[in-house]
Amino acid sequence: MRAAGVLMHLTSLPSPHGIGTMGAAARDFVDFLAAAGQRYWQILPVCPTSYGDSPYQSFSTYAGNPYLIDLDLLAADGLLEPGEYQNIDWESPPDRVNYGALYQKRWAVLRKACARLLAQPPAAYREFCEKSAFWLPDYALFMALKDAHGGRPWTDWEPALRRRDPAALAEARRRYAADLDFWQGVQYLFFAQWHALKRYANGKGIRIIGDLPIYVAADSVDVWSTPEAFQLDGDLRPTEVAGCPPDGFSATGQLWGNPLYDWDAMAKDGYAWWVRRIRALCATYDVLRIDHFRGFAGYYAIPFGQTDARGGRWRQGPGIALFRAVENALGRPAILAEDLGFLTDDVRALLRESGFPGMKVLEFGFDSRDGGDYLPHTYPRHCVVYTGTHDNEPVNGWFDTAPAADAARAVEYLRLTQAEGYHWGMMRSAWASVADLAIVQAQDLLGLGHESRMNTPSTLGGNWCWRALPGAFTPALAARLRRDMELYGRL
């Protein structure tokens, strides 16, 4: 069935409190999507961000990002007083997120709310803790210990805690009991608001596409609590780390630095770690996009300590065995595969065997640095087409930065006109394609340029900060979008 949606992360929603949240603006955006004839809202990972503010480098694969908790909703629930948050200066213009100010000022507000919650915890809180027992206690302890160690990574903690000596963990739970309560309480608040928002979206006919990063951060509870699942040495340091080889976009490749999985060890228990993870995220979202899908066929391994990705080599991934284990345990969850990057025959075969729809990025069809088949006349129906993703320029930014010959080819192929706007013409080309699902960036709907780019891979600073201005998603824009959904059979 043909359908369409919009890529817009929660942090990018308008808000008077420094960052987009799960409050009124999120529901307003759902209303806009419904009025515009959209059926999907795609977001980035909602897990807590660590250094660098990337949702793809998180302290936990299961936890929710406390920054996304809406303060007005907490006040409506009697957990905050207006004066405790409404006059805080979040030190950011309305179109940007200042993560430094959030780190300095948000936690004190959330601690007040949690103190009131925990003074008389509702039955739903106890139910949440019981349901989340497979991850929540370890997460709470990890975060409490990070605070106690001044934010240092777990690999720098004293040996007994680093190696999870049972006596040391028991003592830490006793010593930091109040902090454990806070970290569990804040997760309850996040998921209470998240599930309320998801119910609202589903009630309006909008399904939420979430994101599963293939790798987890080195400094995460995931690696600390299950080191046997990763390629670590005797001192619990990675032997090799993740990244991408040099290509037309980067002469030195991309050094991500994430620890790599020990796939042989994971295979011995039927990939139980992955089954748990996918089960939890499928319960969080309606559809799951698996990032860097090609890494399950073959992954790029870079020796630990290298300064760039040029010294890496390809190694074999788990292949279809992992997804057979997921299917045996969960049935056929709704999954999209981000099959971009260096594609080889084994990646294409894995995509076919999995049955998942792959991705097409319209900008790549005209980029002379990329050799993939991304022109619309090559698409199968069973795929998802994007104008661009969070790692790409918005369309107008692409036209401003792409080689002139590439831009000219896109104009000629798509018959773009300045009168219509290149951004609108490229979106219309995605909607007109045979792809079952077409997703456009919110920045493209608004006609924004490079200044609104969400992320530039392999760079630090200035990423993940863009926010839409209040009132940007107007009824007139919804009506124009809905008309194109009618024209191209995606309503």
Side-chain angles (χ1 to χ4, degrees):
M1 181 182 293
R2 290 170 64 79
V6 177
L7 170 57
M8 170 80 165
H9 193 35
L10 287 164
T11 60
S12 297
L13 292 165
S15 167
H17 307 306
I19 191 170
T21 66
M22 298 178 285
R27 285 162 176 75
D28 289 344
F29 189 66
V30 167
D31 293 344
F32 168 82
L33 293 175
Q38 305 300 289
R39 292 216 296 276
Y40 291 90
W41 177 8
Q42 182 170 332
I43 60 176
L44 305 184
V46 297
C47 42
T49 53
S50 60
Y51 311 106
D53 311 313
S54 169
Y56 294 89
Q57 295 284 350
S58 175
F59 292 132
S60 168
T61 192
Y62 295 107
N65 187 346
Y67 291 161
L68 301 178
I69 296 172
D70 186 74
L71 305 183
D72 289 329
L73 289 179
L74 294 183
D77 289 339
L79 298 177
L80 285 177
E81 296 293 335
E84 292 173 329
Y85 70 96
Q86 287 186 348
N87 297 320
I88 295 175
D89 179 7
W90 299 106
E91 302 176 35
S92 60
D95 64 343
R96 305 294 288 174
V97 177
N98 182 338
Y99 288 99
L102 290 171
Y103 181 77
Q104 294 295 327
K105 303 179 182 184
R106 201 75 160 206
W107 296 111
V109 178
L110 292 174
R111 284 187 180 274
K112 289 183 174 72
C114 279
R116 292 190 178 102
L117 168 76
L118 297 172
Q120 288 186 308
Y125 171 72
R126 290 187 289 273
E127 293 169 4
F128 169 76
C129 290
E130 291 172 3
K131 184 178 179 180
S132 307
F134 69 99
W135 67 269
L136 185 60
D138 270 334
Y139 169 73
L141 180 59
F142 178 83
M143 296 306 296
L145 287 172
K146 278 195 73 67
D147 280 352
H149 288 81
R152 294 197 304 276
W154 67 268
T155 48
D156 290 347
W157 299 349
E158 52 268 40
L161 289 174
R162 190 169 69 245
R163 296 186 178 278
R164 294 177 58 84
D165 174 76
L169 296 186
E171 169 59 20
R173 290 189 182 98
R174 183 198 63 76
R175 184 176 182 182
Y176 302 113
D179 291 320
L180 300 187
D181 288 343
F182 166 72
W183 288 109
Q184 293 192 160
V186 83
Q187 286 303 305
Y188 167 77
L189 294 176
F190 173 90
F191 281 103
Q193 290 193 5
W194 168 259
H195 288 300
L197 174 60
K198 184 174 178 293
R199 285 193 299 271
Y200 185 85
N202 292 167
K204 295 281 186 174
I206 305 299
R207 303 180 74 198
I208 297 179
I209 302 174
D211 206 312
L212 184 155
I214 182 174
Y215 295 120
V216 299
D219 186 24
S220 69
V221 63
D222 308 293
V223 182
W224 178 63
S225 64
T226 55
E228 66 277 6
F230 299 88
Q231 298 180 30
L232 307 179
D233 63 18
D235 200 33
L236 300 178
R237 308 277 180 177
T239 55
E240 294 179 312
V241 295
C244 280
D247 58 17
F249 295 93
S250 173
T252 58
Q254 297 180 29
L255 177 62
W256 300 337
N258 307 77
L260 296 167
Y261 299 108
D262 186 335
W263 290 116
D264 291 338
M266 286 183 157
K268 292 177 182 177
D269 66 359
Y271 302 100
W273 189 95
W274 275 96
V275 170
R276 283 194 303 274
R277 188 183 187 197
I278 292 177
R279 177 187 285 116
L281 292 184
C282 285
T284 301
Y285 310 114
D286 297 302
V287 181
L288 190 61
R289 172 192 177 271
I290 296 184
D291 182 61
H292 197 61
F293 183 79
R294 73 102 50 243
F296 296 104
Y299 60 93
Y300 195 65
I302 304 162
F304 181 68
Q306 295 292 304
T307 57
D308 61 44
R310 286 177 292 185
R313 55 182 171 175
W314 288 101
R315 297 186 182 278
Q316 187 173 350
I320 197 61
L322 168 62
F323 297 104
R324 292 284 180 261
V326 170
E327 184 174 354
N328 289 338
L330 308 179
R332 294 283 296 173
I335 288 176
L336 311 178
E338 188 265 297
D339 59 331
L340 307 176
F342 179 64
L343 301 187
T344 50
D345 288 343
D346 59 340
V347 182
R348 298 183 181 94
L350 179 59
L351 186 67
R352 284 194 304 270
E353 286 186 273
S354 73
F356 303 147
M359 284 176 51
K360 304 294 182 182
V361 177
L362 199 50
E363 288 178 4
F364 288 171
F366 308 99
D367 200 314
S368 55
R369 297 168 295 181
D370 194 292
D373 295 329
Y374 296 109
L375 290 173
H377 71 262
T378 68
Y379 296 171
R381 291 184 181 276
H382 189 54
C383 74
V384 186
V385 60
Y386 292 76
T387 46
T389 74
H390 62 277
D391 283 335
N392 305 123
E393 288 278 2
V395 169
N396 286 342
W398 183 82
F399 275 101
D400 287 340
T401 58
D406 293 355
R409 184 164 178 252
V411 170
E412 180 181 16
Y413 179 99
L414 300 174
R415 296 293 190 261
L416 305 179
T417 67
Q418 290 183 337
E420 180 186 30
Y422 287 173
H423 63 291
W424 202 269
M426 190 171 273
M427 289 189 295
R428 185 171 42 74
S429 299
W431 298 324
S433 76
V434 299
D436 287 336
L437 179 57
I439 303 286
V440 301
Q441 291 195 80
Q443 296 95 311
D444 291 336
L445 282 178
L446 300 177
L448 301 177
H450 173 76
E451 76 287 348
S452 68
R453 181 170 181 162
M454 198 62 173
N455 179 52
T456 303
S458 296
T459 65
L460 293 175
N463 294 318
W464 319 108
C465 294
W466 173 75
R467 280 197 291 162
L469 293 174
F473 298 99
T474 63
L477 180 59
R480 181 179 183 185
L481 187 52
R482 187 180 188 87
R483 177 55 182 156
D484 273 352
M485 297 305 100
E486 293 172 346
L487 287 173
Y488 296 114
R490 296 190 182 272
L491 191 60

